[in-house]
């Protein structure tokens, strides 16, 4: 007797909230660049440009798994202004084990859901374990390593070693070679010149049109003066090669 | 007495002049005539999705379809445009062509002889008028010459200005690129090979042409082969083409052509080999919400997401603008 009732309820939910299915189907995976960390208890914070819906801050949406897909025990914390979520491991990371931080696309920021499922691979490096204490620094050298649909930016809450971050920074700077904006009456024209390595350019869920010759263009109508946009260049395997923030003039 | 007679004659003369003049509007409404045509005679930039309508001053009772003709001007001469149906809706005659109107054409509507029987009599006059479906470039209005849009808005309201997104035919491009080198378990050296699969709609597409470019320079080109294996897939066609000695970074320019070798869709995709990988694959699928559809400027400006999709899904230079009098 209960089974038909449960089935009926599921059907009613699917009929009433078809977005559940649609939303899941349209979510895209974004794999970020590998990170090397030195702090075995490193916490990760995800900064959103708009307050995040508290109902979507749950461990199913923010979690860390290891290379065997075992989920780590973590604690989630949300900032007072609800714009930052911090994920802290309850036990230390193991040396040379590949971990993955997952931020699911069904997190709601502002009025919309993120439409990307972001994965940040990272590893604890043994070689520099003796320098752990000295490498911890203040938040001034925090590095943006990803952004989801223009709504969030994942920051390491603690800095990384200069040896692992500097080459990345150097490579990154080469990929989005120039970003230009031109305001027309009814939309903004954003032109991005890229390096050979960049195969795709996006801002949030909007994908730029490739015009050839390493030039991408996007015409975006819903922008206001002073609004900030995060432009990301991707490789063919959907790795973020560089992120740039632009301000609409 | 004579004076009275003269006055009487003058009075009668005045009556004979004034009475018809007073009664004229009533008489005119009873006389079968056309009130309005949509599009109007000589109209320019007529939207391709417009209905051809003729409004009479009385309800339509019977239509003699033989006397109603549509023509399209091709290479300077008018050729018959087959009519699908002619429908009456009270006092309005709707002429629906078999195929929808095309951009940049001149059309001629002709009614001969006693074609229409109205409640107030038979419309037996000859009627002949033209209109044109020429268009304005969206890119010109929105980017190059915004003043022209301002001028257009002084003549037409945003609800009367309509933008049409082009039809799209390329559904997917899939590039597999193998760098020159050897597989780990195979010591034989293999030169670089690149395979490109293209999936298109089956409608209208006859050929697919592929060009490989690097820094704007054409490196290789060729027509893709149609794959029979995919014939089971409804509404799609699959093509493939192979190239060798390709660089690690290149542009793939794909064009879909119809049976008259006219380009009906094109896409440029960027391929960038990743370091450390011998085989690289990259697939781009294209999904459209607005392709082949027309939206009024009012619709686009009032729905941000629609306008975003509209701008993102079509090259701005391929969007066409037409106007309609409502």
């Amino acid at each position: 007797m209960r089974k038909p009732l449960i089935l009926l309820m599921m059907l009613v939910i699917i009929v009433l909230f078809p977005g559940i299915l649609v939303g899941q189907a349209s979510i895209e995976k974004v794999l970020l660049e590998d990170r090397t960390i030195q702090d075995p208890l490193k916490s990760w914070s995800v900064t959103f440009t708009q307050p995040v819906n508290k109902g979507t801050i749950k461990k199913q949406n923010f979690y860390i798994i290891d290379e065997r897909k075992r989920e780590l025990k973590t604690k989630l914390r949300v900032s007072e202004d609800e714009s930052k979520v911090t994920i802290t491991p309850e036990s230390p990371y193991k040396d040379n084990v590949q971990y993955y931080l997952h931020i699911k696309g069904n997190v709601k920021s502002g009025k919309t859901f993120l439409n990307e499922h972001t994965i940040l691979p990272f590893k604890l490096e043994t070689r520099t374990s003796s320098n752990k204490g000295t490498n911890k620094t203040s938040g001034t050298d925090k590095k943006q390593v990803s952004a989801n649909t223009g709504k969030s930016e994942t920051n390491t809450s603690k800095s990384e070693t200069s040896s692992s971050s500097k080459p990345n920074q150097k490579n990154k700077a080469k990929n989005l070679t120039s970003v230009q904006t031109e305001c027309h009456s009814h939309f903004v024209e954003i032109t991005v010149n890229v390096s050979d390595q960049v195969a795709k350019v996006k801002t949030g869920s909007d994908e730029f049109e490739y015009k050839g010759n390493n030039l991408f263009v996007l015409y975006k109508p819903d922008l206001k003066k002073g609004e900030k946009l995060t432009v990301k260049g991707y490789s063919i395997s959907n790795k973020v090669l560089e992120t740039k923030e632009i301000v609409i003039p | 007495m004579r004076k009275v007679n003269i006055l009487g004659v003058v009075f009668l003369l005045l009556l004979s002049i004034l009475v018809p003049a007073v009664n004229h509007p009533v008489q005119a409404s009873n006389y079968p005539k056309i009130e309005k045509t949509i599009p109007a005679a000589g109209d320019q930039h007529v939207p391709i999705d417009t209905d051809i309508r003729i409004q009479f001053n009385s309800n339509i009772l019977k239509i003699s379809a033989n006397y109603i003709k549509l023509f399209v001007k091709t290479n300077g001469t008018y050729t018959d445009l087959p009519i699908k149906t002619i429908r009456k809706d009270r006092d309005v005659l709707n002429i629906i062509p078999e195929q929808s109107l095309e951009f940049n054409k001149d059309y001629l509507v002709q009614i001969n002889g006693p074609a229409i029987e109205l409640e107030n009599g038979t419309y037996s006059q000859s009627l002949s008028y033209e209109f044109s479906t020429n268009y304005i470039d969206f890119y010109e209005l929105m980017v190059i010459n915004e003043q022209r849009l301002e001028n257009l808005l002084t003549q037409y309201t945003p609800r009367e200005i309509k933008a049409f997104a082009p039809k799209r035919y390329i559904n997917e491009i899939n590039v597999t690129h193998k760098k020159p080198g050897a597989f780990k378990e195979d010591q034989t050296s293999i030169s670089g090979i690149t395979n490109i699969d293209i999936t298109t709609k089956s409608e209208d597409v006859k050929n697919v042409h592929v060009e490989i470019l690097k820094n704007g320079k054409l490196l290789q080109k060729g027509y893709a082969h149609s794959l029979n294996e995919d014939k089971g897939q409804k509404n799609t066609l699959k093509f493939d083409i192979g190239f060798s000695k390709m660089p690690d970074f290149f542009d793939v320019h794909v064009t879909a052509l119809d049976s008259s070798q006219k380009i009906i869709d094109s896409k440029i995709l960027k391929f960038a080999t990743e370091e450390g990988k011998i085989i690289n694959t990259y697939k781009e699928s294209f999904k459209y919400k607005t392709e082949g559809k027309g939206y009024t400027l009012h619709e686009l400006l009032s729905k941000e997401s629609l306008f975003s999709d509209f701008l993102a899904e079509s090259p701005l230079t391929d969007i066409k603008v037409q106007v309609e009098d409502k």
Side-chain angles (χ1 to χ4, degrees), chain A residues 47-89:
Chain A
T47 310
F48 294 83
T49 52
Q50 290 181 67
V52 65
N53 183 315
K54 276 190 169 177
T56 61
I57 304 171
K58 45 193 175 185
K59 289 188 176 173
Q60 293 99 302
N61 289 340
F62 298 86
Y63 58 90
I64 298 168
I65 55 167
D66 66 12
E67 56 202 2
R68 291 184 184 175
K69 295 188 177 177
R70 288 178 305 199
E71 196 171 330
L72 267 69
K73 281 192 176 173
T74 54
K75 271 183 187 166
L76 292 181
R77 204 176 64 238
V78 62
S79 64
E80 269 185 28
D81 63 355
E82 295 171 7
S83 67
K84 194 196 276 183
V85 178
T86 306
I87 307 126
T88 311

Side-chain angles (χ1 to χ4, degrees), chain B residues 46-57:
Chain B
V46 173
I48 52 161
D49 62 351
T50 203
D51 294 327
I52 300 169
R53 285 177 289 167
I54 300 167
Q55 189 182 359
F56 294 89
N57 66 340

Side-chain angles (χ1 to χ4, degrees), chain A residues 133-148:
Chain A
T134 56
N135 279 326
K136 285 180 189 175
T137 58
S138 67
T140 52
D141 59 348
K142 283 177 183 176
K143 291 168 188 66
Q144 289 178 2
V145 293
S146 92
N148 286 336

